[in-house]
Amino acid sequence: MSNQHKPLFWRDDRLPHVELRQVGDGRQVCYAPHSHTQWSIGAITSGESTFQYRHAHYRVRAGDLVLINPEWVHTCNPVSNQPWAYLMLYVDTAWLTDLRYGAGLLPEPRWQDIATATLSAPLWYRRYCRMANCLLSSHRDLLEKQTEVVEFLSDLMHELAGQPWVQQPNVPPALEALASYLDEHAAEDLSLDTLCEISGYSAGHLIRAFRQYFGLTPHAYLVNRRVQLGRRELANGTPIADAALNAGFADQPHFQRTFKRLMAATPKQYRCISPNNEIQATDSQ
């Protein structure tokens, strides 16, 4: 993969609640179904792609935005190997919850999923790219970057506030408790027998019921959690081999294969912070 086609990541310790990803050739990245602990919003900057979001399927193209709730299983992949490019902003869920609550958009300081999955609006696309340009630029100071992020997300949250709330699934308490257990013990070697004992479900029933409510089998959920743990370790500067072990992977090669399958980037690419590279918004509507 040439340098210009490698996924690039932007992070800044002074803005720990946001992270930006840029992909110049989406044909080079394919995702397995996965989820993130963050809320995320992406902009298709050229071409088009498929967007599978839980049980819904969308075709998105240049100028469109996609909005992804935390923990919602999704994939974005090329259409018939056609070129496409995108930006993706990952936003810390707790930080965004506080922003929405402080603006009077939530009745309590607790995350509420957003119903909107895609936006085809030139104004919001241009504003998104302007924010991305600001974050990536070495000529913008910290206060300006913070202002761009807060203004964009605050205004967007107000824009979306009129949409109906997503009805939260009534997850059985036993499965909620099991998901919490998997979150807390993701780096450990767990057995299906242990999960059945904790939940009180038989093996077959557990796998079917868990996938119904969480979109992934318990094993896939655990692997996804391990990748997110590894991602956090890498962002904190942990060496790849140590990040692999800390996240519960048997060895570095297994971590690298799994990380690339779910993140469409290698651990080394993720650790490498993008040089400043401004992105020009194009109005494709």
Side-chain angles (χ1 to χ4, degrees), residues 195-215:
L195 302 186
C196 289
E197 183 178 345
I198 292 170
S199 65
Y201 284 61
S202 66
H205 186 200
L206 173 60
I207 291 172
R208 289 192 301 273
F210 197 93
R211 179 160 47 195
Q212 175 186 348
Y213 287 104
F214 293 97

Side-chain angles (χ1 to χ4, degrees), residues 149-165:
V149 169
V150 170
E151 280 194 327
F152 173 78
L153 291 174
S154 294
D155 291 349
L156 181 61
M157 292 301 105
H158 277 89
E159 175 75 12
L160 298 175
Q163 302 297 317
W165 294 119

Side-chain angles (χ1 to χ4, degrees), residues 89-146:
L89 184 77
Y90 304 94
V91 185
D92 180 77
T93 303
W95 181 87
L96 186 57
T97 299
D98 289 343
L99 187 74
R100 295 167 70 191
Y101 179 68
L105 302 176
L106 292 176
E108 57 183 336
R110 186 172 65 88
W111 176 260
Q112 174 64 256
D113 286 331
I114 294 169
T116 303
T118 64
L119 272 179
S120 298
L123 171 63
W124 288 109
Y125 174 76
R126 288 194 295 268
R127 286 196 59 184
Y128 182 105
C129 291
R130 187 182 76 189
M131 174 194 62
N133 289 342
C134 181
L135 292 178
L136 290 166
S137 175
S138 60
H139 305 297
R140 312 292 185 88
D141 59 28
L142 175 61
L143 181 58
E144 185 175 6
K145 293 185 179 189
Q146 292 171 322

